[in-house]
């Protein structure tokens, strides 16, 4: 079976690699260089328990299932390449600095307890016993031990190698311009210079997924970019965080390579990817208030990535109304977390015709 994939972020690369493992012939088209967009900007949190919103129980279940699949995903990757990054079950500490924060944390705690998740509401002193770098200003915290994280940049590097080692054809600097149809039937896709025939096409172009021509208006994926500025700091011996620390205004994520990601803004600025003084100031101030020792850390990088957000902020996964055209997009804030479930689901649907129940709320036909 010949499959074309549009987009070389973590989603397109992983799906391509998995389909190659199961015997398909895969060509992946990337408009620039693989893994340089949202999948690079991400902080790498695998945190369904910290990130679940009050209205998002189905999404949390999807994240929970994807987290469960992560070890299998990484074991399979280690069969194909070396230096696969560690799956770090570091937990998330949600922290509060005043009474308003504590009330908010109490609501977050109650909601998680009702869902029977493993969660603790603790005092500032108890939080500092577990994460000694926290400021004396922290008065309360919610501890979520089951959240995890991974070095997403290292993961994308491994996926690229694995894709190529399994014989995938990677066409970088090859933007797909349109999906090709004949009489309403999918034929393949076109770049500026060539047409390619495929049995199946998977659209995994992140926040650009709505821009491919040829898709009938009624099934076009409703995707927009949501800008996130994020800072990388270099950890020192005086400032080695144990796990994820976050509040509604910032997060700090210590990585395996000795850096810390400090994120992230959430801005409706179209396709603009410029880091701004205001964005950096807010992140640095909020994080410094919770963890004062970040003050002296060397600043390594500031970038902005574009989260692919669908109209309902949930991913769009599976075959569209047009036979042979699949979507794997709209992963918004959770694409690193949701990679394994997306990959196994798309591969199962294409090769075996099965769709897991947990996927039903996230099918393309819902819009
Ligand atoms: P991308 O990584 O954006 O990849 C899409 C690719 O498609 C790009 O390489 C692009 O060049 C290519 N493309 C686009 N158009 C075309 C075309 N016409 N032809 C060919 N190629 C094309 N998620 C988590 O789970 N945990 C986190 O901690 C986390 N933190 C985040 C922090 C920030 C600041 C941001 C911005 C996002 C974060 N996310 C996080 C979300 C996560 O990064 C995304 O959901 C995920 O990376 C989406 O992956 P993707 O492959 O769909 O998109
Ligand atoms: N999931 C973290 C972010 O999107 O910033």
């Amino acid at each position: 079976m010949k499959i074309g994939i549009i987009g070389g972020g973590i989603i397109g690369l992983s799906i391509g690699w998995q389909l190659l493992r199961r015997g398909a012939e895969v060509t992946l088209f990337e408009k620039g260089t693989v893994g340089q967009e949202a999948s690079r900007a991400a902080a790498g949190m695998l945190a369904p328990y910290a990130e679940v919103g009050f209205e998002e129980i189905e999404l949390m279940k999807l994240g929970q299932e994807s987290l469960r699949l992560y070890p299998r995903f990484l074991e399979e990757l280690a069969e194909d390449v070396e230096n696969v990054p560690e799956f770090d079950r570091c937990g998330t500490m949600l922290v509060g600095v005043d009474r308003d924060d504590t009330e908010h944390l109490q609501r977050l705690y109650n909601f998680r307890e009702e869902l029977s998740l493993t969660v603790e509401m603790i005092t500032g002193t108890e939080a500092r016993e577990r994460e000694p770098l926290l400021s004396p200003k922290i008065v309360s915290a919610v501890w979520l031990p089951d959240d995890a994280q991974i070095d997403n940049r290292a993961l994308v590097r491994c996926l690229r190698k694995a894709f190529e080692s399994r014989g995938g054809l990677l066409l970088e600097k090859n933007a797909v311009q349109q999906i090709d149809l004949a009489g309403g039937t999918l034929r393949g896709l076109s770049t500026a210079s060539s047409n390619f025939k495929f049995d199946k096409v998977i659209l995994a172009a992140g926040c650009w997924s709505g821009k491919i021509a040829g898709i009938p208006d009624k099934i076009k994926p409703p995707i927009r970019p949501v800008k996130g500025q994020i800072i990388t700091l270099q950890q020192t011996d005086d400032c080695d965080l144990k796990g994820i620390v976050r509040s509604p205004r910032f997060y700090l994520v210590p990585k395996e390579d000795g850096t810390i990601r400090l994120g992230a803004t959430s801005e409706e600025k179209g396709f603009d990817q410029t880091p701004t003084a205001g964005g950096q100031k807010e992140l640095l101030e909020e994080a410094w208030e919770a963890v004062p020792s970040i003050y002296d850390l060397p600043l390594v990088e500031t970038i902005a990535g574009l989260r692919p957000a669908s109209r309902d902020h949930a991913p769009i996964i599976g075959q569209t109304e047009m036979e042979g055209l699949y979507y794997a997009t709209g992963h918004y804030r959770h694409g690193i977390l949701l990679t394994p479930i997306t990959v196994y689901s798309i591969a199962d649907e294409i090769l075996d015709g099965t769709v897991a129940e947990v996927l039903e709320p996230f099918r393309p036909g819902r819009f």
Side-chain angles (χ1 to χ4, degrees):
M1 185 184 296
K2 286 179 73 170
I3 298 177
I5 299 181
I6 309 171
I10 193 166
I11 298 294
L13 267 177
S14 311
I15 293 173
W17 162 68
Q18 186 64 211
L19 287 169
L20 288 161
R21 276 178 70 92
R22 301 201 199 173
E25 195 182 317
V26 182
T27 305
L28 192 151
F29 297 81
E30 164 54 50
K31 71 176 170 56
T33 305
V34 295
Q36 296 304 303
E37 296 294 347
S39 303
R40 174 177 164 77
M45 290 178 285
L46 310 175
Y49 304 111
E51 293 209 307
V52 59
F54 291 108
E55 308 293 326
E56 294 181 330
I57 293 176
E58 303 291 354
L59 186 59
M60 190 206 65
K61 286 187 186 151
L62 193 73
Q64 215 169 7
E65 179 59 6
S66 202
L67 190 65
R68 191 186 69 76
L69 290 168
Y70 240 101
R72 164 181 159 196
F73 179 76
L74 296 177
E75 272 165 32
E76 287 180 5
L77 192 55
E79 288 167 11
D80 289 359
V81 290
E82 291 176 348
N83 301 320
V84 171
E86 182 198 352
F87 174 79
D88 177 10
R89 182 82 72 169
C90 60
T92 301
M93 186 81 80
L94 303 173
V95 297
V97 291
D98 56 25
R99 190 182 291 179
D100 283 352
D101 280 356
T102 302
E103 276 173 21
H104 177 65
L105 286 175
Q106 187 66 53
R107 283 201 302 279
L108 295 182
Y109 168 80
N110 293 346
F111 178 60
R112 283 156 181 75
E113 238 220 346
E114 276 162 29
L115 293 174
S116 302
L117 304 180
T118 308
V119 57
E120 276 181 79
M121 180 93 201
I122 57 178
T123 63
T125 307
E126 287 167 329
R128 271 182 296 282
E129 277 162 20
R130 296 174 198 194
E131 187 64 82
L133 295 177
L134 289 176
S135 159
K137 284 188 188 165
I138 300 297
V139 291
S140 54
V142 167
W143 170 236
L144 295 155
D146 292 336
D147 279 340
Q149 62 124 345
I150 195 159
D151 182 337
N152 45 296
R153 294 182 182 183
L155 182 57
V156 167
R157 284 196 294 274
C158 285
L159 285 163
R160 180 198 177 118
K161 274 194 205 144
F163 178 88
E164 290 182 315
S165 77
R166 285 272 171 182
L169 179 59
L170 188 54
L171 300 179
E172 292 180 305
K173 305 207 172 14
N174 260 283
V176 171
Q177 294 194 328
Q178 72 168 37
I179 306 279
D180 296 330
L181 309 172
T185 304
L186 180 85
R187 294 287 178 227
L189 53 77
S190 303
T191 63
S193 54
S194 309
N195 305 327
F196 298 81
K197 282 203 165 45
F198 291 111
D199 304 309
K200 314 272 183 196
V201 169
I202 302 166
L203 177 58
C207 69
W208 295 270
S209 294
K211 287 181 157 284
I212 309 292
I215 301 178
D217 281 348
K218 75 176 175 57
I219 64 163
K220 253 193 193 312
I223 299 287
R224 69 178 200 285
V226 176
K227 177 178 174 182
Q229 300 188 42
I230 186 160
I231 298 171
T232 302
L233 302 170
Q234 185 64 50
Q235 245 179 358
T236 61
D237 292 345
D238 297 333
C239 186
D240 57 338
L241 277 180
K242 293 186 191 312
I244 302 166
V245 174
R246 70 183 291 169
S247 84
R249 301 173 292 274
F250 79 93
Y251 51 73
L252 285 164
V253 189
K255 309 308 291 182
E256 207 179 335
D257 68 357
T259 60
I260 301 179
R261 306 270 167 77
L262 161 53
T265 63
S266 201
E267 304 167 65
E268 300 282 352
K269 292 276 168 65
F271 289 90
D272 170 55
Q273 284 181 262
T274 319
T276 62
Q280 311 293 302
K281 171 189 166 285
E282 276 171 27
L283 293 172
L284 286 164
E285 260 182 11
E286 294 291 350
W288 168 77
E289 192 179 18
V291 180
S293 50
I294 66 159
Y295 193 87
D296 290 320
L297 298 186
L299 205 148
V300 179
E301 178 190 80
T302 63
I303 56 169
L306 300 176
R307 305 175 182 93
S310 73
R311 201 182 296 145
D312 62 6
H313 288 177
I316 311 176
I317 303 170
Q319 185 164 224
T320 64
E321 279 170 36
M322 180 178 297
E323 202 183 328
L325 178 62
Y326 293 73
Y327 291 164
T329 187
H331 292 78
Y332 193 35
R333 296 178 176 280
H334 316 289
I336 311 301
L337 168 65
L338 295 176
T339 292
I341 186 76
T342 305
V343 165
Y344 293 127
S345 303
I346 291 277
D348 289 349
E349 189 176 355
I350 290 183
L351 301 174
D352 310 329
T354 57
V355 178
E357 209 183 313
V358 72
L359 258 295
E360 288 303 340
F362 307 105
R363 306 287 293 164
R366 72 181 185 274
F367 295 106

